[in-house]
Structure formats: structure tokens, C-alpha cells
Amino acid sequence: LNGTLTTEVASALARRLADTAGDDTGARIGTGFRLALGRLPSASERERSRVFLQSRSLEEFARVLVNLNEFLYVD
């Protein structure tokens, strides 16, 4: 979860989100889900992500995305 590769990937994703979506939290969330998971977040995922980003960094949010089972394993 906190290995070097995961940290590097999360940092790169966070930079891309900041560059692509700017300061718009909703756009950052939607873009993050689309880039990491290939889909938009559900309403509950969007709300939980918004609350998470009120007290956490964009890099921590990106780390969460790349540690989701949906990102790590193919169904």
C-alpha cells in the first residue's frame, strides 16, 4: 500500500489531476476515477471522496484510488 511504486504512481496521478482538473474538487474526483478505474464515481463514492479531500491531500486521494481492488485486480 505504501511501497515506492505505489507512492510514485499516486504522485504522478495527483499531478495529472491537478493539471487537468485545476482546483475543482468535483472535476478532480471524476477525473481520478475515470483515469484510475475507467468509470465515473457513483453518487456515494463522489460524496465520500469530497469529504476525504476536505481533510486530506490530493496525493492521498490518488493513493486510495490506486489501492482499490478494482484498480489492482481484473474481474
Side-chain angles (χ1 to χ4, degrees):
L1 294 172
N2 294 312
T4 304
L5 178 61
T6 302
T7 301
E8 290 173 3
V9 169
S11 292
L13 179 58
R15 283 191 305 274
R16 186 165 178 191
L17 293 176
D19 290 344
T20 303
D23 293 330
D24 183 341
T25 301
R28 285 178 169 187
I29 293 166
T31 302
F33 270 78
R34 187 178 48 78
L35 290 173
L37 305 176
R39 65 173 180 82
L40 293 175
S42 68
S44 64
E45 289 170 329
R46 184 174 296 278
E47 179 58 22
R48 285 182 283 166
S49 297
R50 187 189 62 72
V51 170
F52 182 88
L53 282 168
Q54 288 177 343
S55 61
R56 303 291 180 93
S57 71
L58 188 56
E59 189 169 330
E60 289 174 299
F61 174 66
R63 186 175 300 131
V64 168
L65 289 174
V66 300
N67 278 296
L68 291 171
N69 280 344
E70 191 173 344
F71 180 83
L72 296 171
Y73 300 104
V74 177
D75 266 343

